[in-house]
Amino acid sequence: MHARCAASILKGMRRREFLKTIPTGAALLAQSGRAAAPGPIRVEPFNYDGVRLRQSRWRQQVEAAREYYLNLSDDDILHGFRKAAGLPAPGAALGGWCRENSSTVFGQWLSGLARLHCATGDQAVREKAARLMTEWASTVPADGNCRMRHYAFDKLVCGLLDMHLYAKHPDALGLLEKVTRYAQRSFEREPRTVTPSHNTEYYGLPQEWYTLSENQYRAWQATGNAMHKEFAEVWHYPQYWNKFAATALPSGTSGVHAYSHVNTFSGAAMAYEVTGDSTYLRIIRNFYDFMQNTQCYATGGYGPNERFMTPDDGSLGRALETRSDTFETLCGSWAAFKLSRYLTRFTGEARYGDWIERLFYNGSGAALPLRPGGRNFYYSDYRTSGGIKTDYWENFTCCSGTYLQDMADYHNLIYYKDAAGLYVSLYVPSEVNWGGVTLVQETGYPETETSTLTIGGTESARLALRLRVPGWSPDMSVTVNGKLSGVACKPGEWASIERTWSPGDRVEVRIPLRLRYQPVDRWHPRRVAIVRGPVVLALDYNYHAPAFELPKSEADLAKWLEPDGSPVVFRVNRPDGRPVRLRFRPFYQMAEDFPYLMYFDLDKEPYALW
């Protein structure tokens, strides 16, 4: 029973009683009559249940996305499916990547709507998802041929599964079994090896086949049907996964499609959860470190030209000179959110929240909103010569699918729990209800340095409150009811306070947000982005400043940059007094078509155009 859907039953339970009702890890599978999942789970997210966003920029982004998707015509979304099935097909094709039908994004839209409903309780969202699924089901013949191949089918499996798990639709599992049986009979089982040097096969043919295992394993967990587990095993990707079995810096990793090669490691994560084979855990841990050490920009984004860069020659930094397609933003954020959450669940380690945090603010959180006609943001542009935010040249791309999943995920990235404690991983205005204990988080972070957490409920409760210390923060501090807690705040770990909490207790977290340079890679130590806390700053580039330069040392950065009417907007105060019209501001504040600079060469001399 999913907790949100059982909220009325659980209402009023004490926290200790509530915890007894939540099966986790092995217990969840044992209750369904199957063998226990041997991969240990250290902590769990709230699984879109019990967490609400409070008023903030991020909640406004979610609400705007909700309005957009609710107002898309059902008939237009279903037009291509109905036409192919020989049924009356009112409406019109969506166009762009959905010019034939909406299979590219259909499963993602079901998934995002189901998860968003579960997180918010929004019935209109569920009703739209239910209508779409029911009407689409009428286009699927008795043999289960949904007219989708590997790429779209994987998304469909995710969507149908989420309609069962999060929207409680009674027909979802029957549809899932029907289409999966057809795929099991008909799908090509000998896919081509991904060819990095090839201009199309770098993402694998059939397209992105190696991402299929994750959702088939999830389907097996939900249903107990061995067909899904067997089909998941078909799509293991040992020729790439095994490169990371013993090292975080293997050879032969570059040139492959970046987003889907992050996404495939969620399949390896589920293989670990299902089998308990520690090799899979080593693989995903090493892969995570590979990404952080060799592939990620200051924003957390990765994959210029949608490829992994050669890790030992400075190509990540060189790509900034030519590539405007620096990061496939919304899909890339979705894949990283998932992998980081798996690693947090399996290890209980705080450090995996750092990638989530960077992408929350600089990835999906910095994306342009969806536009009429399916115009959507796709690439972030970090070029040293200057970038702009603009929509993709075709409509309804894959990123219009992951956009909605990202928005739903905002509710599932902030808090975790175990039997004894509550974990705060992101400092976002929000509240969480944990079986009678509530926690309200009020904060202006990352624009201000503090977050205040207030304990609510009707009774005192003993629990550990664990607060993620960002890996970049050497001097975070915590007070409890106005007094310094003395708790250790080690970067990349949890600051833990265990005590009996009473309603009204207040915890204040202070995370100093100092300006710093972050080099793009070790081959370009002087090619840097300016970062404040987890947020990358970009420079307005609407004027040419012929003598613009930055200080040569990070120590002077705070002297040169001064707040300009806002804690996150900075003017440049040169020591020689020469005026500079340009301003630094968070990348997430950069508007459509407004020019900016994100990366700077500190040793490059200023230049004049006249």
Side-chain angles (χ1 to χ4, degrees), residues 72-83 89-103 109 373-374 395-396:
L72 278 178
S73 163
D74 292 2
D75 285 336
D76 290 353
I77 295 170
L78 295 162
H79 176 81
F81 298 128
R82 288 167 166 166
K83 183 178 178 181
L94 291 172
W97 287 21
C98 295
R99 63 178 63 87
E100 182 177 345
N101 59 50
S102 59
S103 61
W109 289 354
N395 299 349
F396 288 113

Side-chain angles (χ1 to χ4, degrees), residues 42-306:
R42 307 297 183 191
V43 301
E44 284 282 15
F46 277 74
N47 209 22
Y48 308 94
D49 169 43
V51 177
R52 294 294 178 98
L53 300 179
R54 294 170 70 87
Q55 191 56 44
S56 67
R57 177 187 188 93
W58 324 112
R59 176 171 155 176
Q60 290 171 4
Q61 188 185 19
V62 173
E63 290 173 344
R66 173 213 182 257
E67 290 301 311
Y68 184 91
Y69 289 104
L70 281 185
N71 286 307
L72 278 178
S73 163
D74 292 2
D75 285 336
D76 290 353
I77 295 170
L78 295 162
H79 176 81
F81 298 128
R82 288 167 166 166
K83 183 178 178 181
L87 300 174
L94 291 172
W97 287 21
C98 295
R99 63 178 63 87
E100 182 177 345
N101 59 50
S102 59
S103 61
T104 295
V105 294
F106 186 73
Q108 293 170 311
W109 289 354
L110 292 182
S111 167
L113 290 168
R115 295 180 189 213
L116 188 60
H117 157 69
C118 188
T120 64
D122 191 326
Q123 287 300 317
V125 168
R126 185 193 182 279
E127 288 167 7
K128 185 176 184 74
R131 287 195 309 273
L132 289 174
M133 194 193 84
T134 298
E135 290 298 315
W136 169 82
S138 70
T139 72
V140 180
D143 67 358
N145 180 7
C146 63
R147 304 176 185 87
M148 298 183 195
R149 303 307 290 174
H150 303 65
Y151 175 75
F153 173 78
D154 181 43
K155 300 178 181 186
L156 177 68
V157 171
C158 181
L160 294 176
L161 183 59
D162 289 352
M163 287 297 292
H164 164 71
L165 292 172
Y166 304 121
K168 299 300 176 186
H169 199 292
D171 300 332
L173 289 186
L175 281 168
L176 176 60
E177 180 176 354
K178 180 178 179 179
V179 298
T180 302
R181 287 200 180 281
Y182 180 85
Q184 191 182 45
R185 293 193 307 268
S186 67
F187 273 15
E188 180 183 347
R189 298 290 190 95
E190 296 181 1
R192 302 182 200 175
T193 301
V194 172
T195 308
S197 61
H198 198 280
N199 209 31
T200 57
E201 293 182 19
Y202 72 97
Y203 54 74
L205 293 177
Q207 188 173 1
E208 297 176 31
W209 57 267
Y210 43 86
T211 66
L212 269 73
S213 55
E214 178 193 13
N215 287 311
Q216 288 297 324
Y217 275 130
R218 292 181 63 227
W220 174 72
Q221 286 186 323
T223 67
N225 188 333
M227 169 187 66
H228 293 292
K229 184 173 183 289
E230 293 166 2
F231 206 37
E233 292 167 351
V234 169
W235 308 111
H236 281 203
Y237 190 21
Q239 58 266 51
Y240 199 83
W241 293 356
N242 287 351
K243 292 177 185 290
F244 298 89
T247 178
L249 193 62
S251 60
T253 55
S254 62
V256 298
H257 186 231
Y259 153 68
S260 61
H261 277 73
V262 174
N263 200 41
T264 188
F265 283 90
S266 285
M270 282 303 303
Y272 169 69
E273 183 167 334
V274 166
T275 70
D277 186 339
S278 61
T279 301
Y280 292 117
L281 181 57
R282 289 199 307 273
I283 283 170
I284 61 174
R285 290 180 73 122
N286 283 335
F287 177 73
Y288 180 94
D289 291 341
F290 165 79
M291 292 298 298
Q292 304 313 303
N293 295 334
T294 74
Q295 301 297 317
C296 285
Y297 292 103
T299 61
Y302 55 90
N305 194 218
E306 298 190 31

Side-chain angles (χ1 to χ4, degrees), residues 52 84 125 197 226 288 303 326 355 467 472 533 544 559 593:
R52 294 294 178 98
V125 168
S197 61
Y288 180 94
T326 317
W355 199 13
L467 310 163
W472 47 264
H544 176 67
K559 299 175 184 177
D593 293 335

